Amino acid sequence: QVNLVESGGDLVQPGGSLKLSCAASGRPLSSTSVVGWFRQAPGKEREFVAATHWSGGSTNYAGSVKGRFTISKDRNTNTIVLQMNTVNPEDAAVYYCAARSTRVIYGLWHDASVYDYWGQGTQVNVQG
């Protein structure tokens, strides 16, 4: 069992920045694991934001955040970070951290159904 706990959600002004963190504990993530961020706004389906390979450098981003958000990980502290820059009102949502414990092809990293573990979410509000 991998436990994921998100933090960092807050109220941010349009154009501002926010850093979300996800602490992983329990069963260690393996070299084949993939970790990612998803978000869900009220009345909308959960959508992919970004993902990265736990031991490699590959990343994948949703088109709506590419160039503004950056996903990274710290394997020493078992932390997954989402740096959000130039935030806009459409970014307001509950953000969830997710982990896939075994290998999955890059083309499926955006698919929420392939992830085994999920955090409880952290709320991001955008208002000027």
Side-chain angles (χ1 to χ4, degrees), residues 90-105:
E90 290 71 38
D91 296 320
V94 177
Y95 282 71
Y96 298 91
C97 179
R100 161 86 179 196
S101 57
T102 56
R103 190 183 305 275
V104 61
I105 63 173

Side-chain angles (χ1 to χ4, degrees), residues 25-116:
S25 62
R27 176 182 174 184
L29 294 169
S30 72
S31 60
T32 60
S33 295
V34 175
V35 293
W37 287 91
F38 289 75
R39 66 187 182 187
Q40 187 166 19
K44 295 186 177 182
E45 293 187 356
R46 189 170 299 191
E47 65 172 1
F48 171 73
V49 176
T52 185
H53 197 268
W54 182 244
S55 63
S58 297
T59 57
N60 191 7
Y61 293 93
S64 59
V65 307
K66 199 168 188 178
R68 300 188 298 121
F69 292 9
T70 302
I71 188 171
S72 62
K73 76 273 185 177
D74 185 332
R75 296 174 65 192
N76 291 323
T77 61
N78 289 325
T79 303
I80 303 102
V81 172
L82 184 69
Q83 178 65 46
M84 306 168 59
N85 296 328
T86 319
V87 171
N88 60 53
E90 290 71 38
D91 296 320
V94 177
Y95 282 71
Y96 298 91
C97 179
R100 161 86 179 196
S101 57
T102 56
R103 190 183 305 275
V104 61
I105 63 173
Y106 182 84
L108 290 179
W109 286 12
H110 68 285
D111 188 344
S113 68
V114 308
Y115 290 83
D116 307 305

Side-chain angles (χ1 to χ4, degrees), residues 4-18:
L4 302 172
V5 179
E6 303 95 336
S7 62
D10 204 345
L11 173 65
V12 59
Q13 292 185 340
S17 297
L18 197 63

